[in-house]
Amino acid sequence: MNTEQRLDNINENLKDTQKNINGIKSVFSSLKTWWTTPKQPAGKDNEKVVSPTSPSKQEAPNVADNPNLGAAYERSQMLMAAQKSSLHPAMRLKGLEDEEEEPDNLDDFRTTSRVINAKLDSDLDEISMGLSRLKGLAVGLGTEITDQNETISRIHEKADRADMTIGSQNTQIKKILKR
């Protein structure tokens, strides 16, 4: 956005430069420009000055401030907080869980299959939550990339316009200087 704003300022300055070049081209146009230009009081500058900022001075963008990624990031954080409350699947497989006690007598096939199915279901639920979190982040990133592509194309058009104007003004100045 900073680049786009600076290109807008450059294009505005090039318009003023073109007016000055047109004024130089004719003898009487400089007098006309002098009479028609509104006079500004001395010491007061009406233009706002945009100070350039170096990339090292800028703060890193906050993901939560981004409208596309913020919501996906918040959902992801909530899902992760919910997952952290339960133990990791590897801990359950090693028998280091505190959540549920298994019966001591697992000789019964039905009891064993119920316990295994319950573990598989809980693991699949965790995988499902992780995949839904990744999907939300991917959708947010996709939207952000689309917005960035639109911004880049606008910047490209403005930079091309500025480049053509500068080239044209350079040739005009060279012709004036040869006279």
Side-chain angles (χ1 to χ4, degrees):
M1 294 304 187
N2 269 345
T3 303
E4 192 170 10
Q5 182 182 9
R6 287 184 180 137
L7 278 170
D8 288 337
N9 289 340
I10 288 171
N11 283 323
E12 287 299 316
N13 289 339
L14 287 173
K15 287 178 185 178
D16 293 338
T17 306
Q18 185 62 46
K19 288 178 186 176
N20 291 333
I21 290 172
N22 290 340
I24 292 172
K25 284 183 182 179
S26 81
V27 176
F28 295 109
S29 66
S30 57
L31 290 174
K32 175 186 163 196
T33 304
W34 184 76
W35 284 104
T36 60
T37 304
K39 306 296 185 239
Q40 295 180 358
K44 292 185 180 178
D45 191 9
N46 291 338
E47 293 182 32
K48 64 177 183 179
V49 176
V50 177
S51 61
T53 56
S54 67
S56 61
K57 291 182 183 178
Q58 291 180 349
E59 295 179 10
N62 188 358
V63 175
D65 292 341
N66 189 314
N68 298 325
L69 293 178
Y73 181 73
E74 288 176 16
R75 283 192 304 268
S76 169
Q77 292 301 331
M78 288 189 319
L79 287 173
M80 283 179 50
Q83 282 182 343
K84 284 184 182 177
S85 66
S86 65
L87 292 176
H88 191 273
M91 299 295 274
R92 278 191 230 133
L93 291 176
K94 291 181 180 179
L96 300 174
E97 62 186 5
D98 296 327
E99 293 178 348
E100 55 188 57
E101 289 293 323
E102 296 179 15
D104 290 336
N105 185 5
L106 294 178
D107 295 334
D108 186 22
F109 175 73
R110 290 180 188 164
T111 307
T112 305
S113 65
R114 273 189 241 131
V115 169
I116 291 173
N117 283 337
K119 283 185 177 183
L120 287 174
D121 285 343
S122 69
D123 290 345
L124 287 174
D125 287 341
E126 286 184 29
I127 290 171
S128 174
M129 285 185 352
L131 287 175
S132 66
R133 186 181 71 205
L134 286 173
K135 178 187 175 190
L137 289 172
V139 168
L141 283 172
T143 306
E144 179 64 21
I145 288 171
T146 302
D147 291 346
Q148 291 289 328
N149 283 339
E150 291 171 0
T151 302
I152 288 172
S153 64
R154 283 194 317 266
I155 287 172
H156 183 66
E157 290 171 7
K158 290 177 181 181
D160 283 346
R161 188 177 327 123
D163 185 44
M164 289 187 311
T165 305
I166 289 172
S168 170
Q169 289 179 359
N170 280 340
T171 56
Q172 290 175 18
I173 290 293
K174 285 179 185 177
K175 286 180 183 178
I176 291 171
L177 291 176
K178 286 183 182 179
R179 289 184 190 175

